[in-house]
Amino acid sequence: MKQYLDLLRRIRTEGIVRGDRTGTGTQGIFGHQMRFDLAEGFPLLTTKKVFLKGVIHELLWFLAGDTNIRYLTEHGVRIWDNDAYRHYGERCASAGIEPLPREEFLAAAGQPSPVDGYRYGDLDHVYGYQWRSWPRPDGGIVDQIADAVELIRRNPESRRIVVSAWNAAEIDRMALPPCHVLFQFYVADGRLSCQLYQRSADTFLGVPFNIASYALLTMMTAQVCGLRPGEFVHTLGDAHLYLNHLAQADEQLARTPRPLPRMRLNPDVRSLFDFRYDDFTLEGYDPWPAIRAEMSF
């Protein structure tokens, strides 16, 4: 994962300090690209712990078209809790309803609420909705993921195998506007590659997660389309480190990456929507020694 460390190094040497919506402040750059050949191994950081369980469950959640945190919380993945509770508070304020305390809200995820048309835990029209149910003007929907798979199989040389999460007309209906906004598949020599454009990249916490997620999506899509995994190309817009992560980033840069692990997919799965958590097996993961005890899958 030299590519990731090179990004950290570039931010620390060239980055400009700017404000941000959180008030924390960032050091960042604009415009960066990393390339990962998936034949060389699964691009999971070996110099920092990555919440792989969360990567897998969130990706399955996206692919299911789900936008309620219930599935995630039931599987111990809490990465969307804060956004869900903030969004719930905004919906309650608009409706003039007193919100539940946070823990009661999380326990009630998926259940109807007094807010009209809202279930506890809803994030509204975020990634899964746009991927699987992009609204058409005539009231129908576009299943972008199913369409992309079909296009890969039917016309692999197409330059239109694109999935977008940035629906400008619905940004105000999302708990959080998408950071990873658009990805495109490319087929050549029997290999499937994917390029992601990410408008905003929290380089310390988010980017390692995003790399693993889209690398895995590329592998899954390649399998169900009868192709070999090619490259994952990660193009970043605003790539930044929060100022309270600078010391941790410098610690990362002092570590030497270990060999990449391998990710094995259940070869019997032939539909992108049939994958389950147990269909993924990580092999040969040997992270930096000080974090081996922290590993979790």
Side-chain angles (χ1 to χ4, degrees):
M1 294 295 286
K2 178 180 180 295
Q3 303 95 316
Y4 174 76
L5 296 180
D6 287 344
L7 170 60
L8 286 186
R9 189 172 294 107
R10 183 180 171 209
I11 292 174
R12 293 297 281 129
T13 57
E14 301 177 20
I16 304 299
V17 175
R18 304 169 69 222
D20 73 287
R21 67 177 174 84
T22 71
T24 306
T26 63
Q27 182 181 20
I29 58 175
F30 185 64
H32 188 87
Q33 187 176 88
M34 299 178 287
R35 306 183 77 96
F36 303 92
D37 186 344
L38 301 180
E40 296 178 354
F42 185 65
L44 187 68
L45 284 192
T46 58
T47 54
K48 176 182 178 295
K49 180 182 178 182
V50 179
F51 184 33
L52 185 58
K53 175 182 174 181
V55 169
I56 296 172
H57 277 304
E58 185 196 53
L59 180 55
L60 296 177
W61 179 67
F62 288 160
L63 289 170
D66 198 350
T67 59
N68 187 283
I69 62 170
R70 179 175 178 175
Y71 168 84
L72 298 177
T73 58
E74 286 178 343
H75 291 87
V77 177
R78 316 309 294 260
I79 56 179
W80 281 91
D81 286 8
N82 290 339
D83 289 307
Y85 191 60
R86 174 185 48 77
H87 184 60
Y88 164 65
E90 293 168 355
R91 293 291 300 266
C92 286
S94 296
I97 293 173
E98 185 68 22
L100 294 177
R102 177 187 170 90
E103 291 309 312
E104 290 184 31
F105 162 78
L106 294 174
Q111 300 176 19
S113 84
V115 179
D116 186 42
Y118 174 85
R119 296 171 303 155
Y120 292 114
D122 278 350
L123 294 153
D124 289 327
H125 291 187
V126 293
Y127 297 99
Y129 183 89
Q130 304 301 337
W131 284 16
R132 302 295 314 279
S133 303
W134 181 289
R136 296 173 57 95
D138 63 5
I141 61 168
V142 178
D143 186 336
Q144 295 189 85
I145 299 294
D147 286 354
V149 170
E150 175 61 23
L151 195 51
I152 292 168
R153 291 171 172 164
R154 177 171 49 84
N155 184 13
E157 295 181 344
S158 173
R159 296 185 288 268
R160 301 178 182 180
I161 313 173
V162 173
V163 174
S164 175
W166 190 268
N167 187 337
E170 297 208 323
I171 295 299
D172 61 354
R173 295 200 60 183
M174 304 178 189
L176 184 71
C179 293
H180 34 109
V181 299
L182 179 146
F183 59 96
Q184 179 179 3
F185 288 115
Y186 174 86
V187 180
D189 295 329
R191 302 178 79 207
L192 178 73
S193 295
C194 175
Q195 178 167 205
L196 166 69
Y197 180 77
Q198 185 166 351
R199 67 167 180 89
S200 178
D202 176 352
T203 304
F204 184 71
L205 289 179
V207 169
F209 198 98
N210 302 136
I211 293 169
S213 180
Y214 278 87
L216 190 58
L217 175 62
T218 305
M219 295 174 66
M220 295 160 65
T221 307
Q223 174 169 302
V224 302
C225 292
L227 298 165
R228 303 187 310 278
E231 283 189 303
F232 169 54
V233 183
H234 198 174
T235 301
L236 309 176
D238 185 325
H240 52 269
L241 289 164
Y242 284 99
L243 297 183
N244 59 356
H245 291 158
L246 298 184
Q248 295 99 314
D250 290 343
E251 184 177 349
Q252 286 283 288
L253 289 170
R255 297 175 178 175
T256 301
R258 311 284 290 188
L260 292 179
R262 296 281 173 180
M263 177 65 78
R264 305 295 182 191
L265 277 56
N266 179 353
D268 294 332
V269 179
R270 307 314 304 172
S271 168
L272 195 55
F273 310 118
D274 287 346
F275 280 100
R276 299 295 180 263
Y277 183 78
D278 291 341
D279 291 320
F280 306 95
T281 304
L282 187 68
E283 299 176 349
Y285 190 41
D286 185 24
W288 194 72
I291 60 172
R292 287 178 187 166
E294 302 175 359
M295 284 170 44
S296 64
F297 189 110

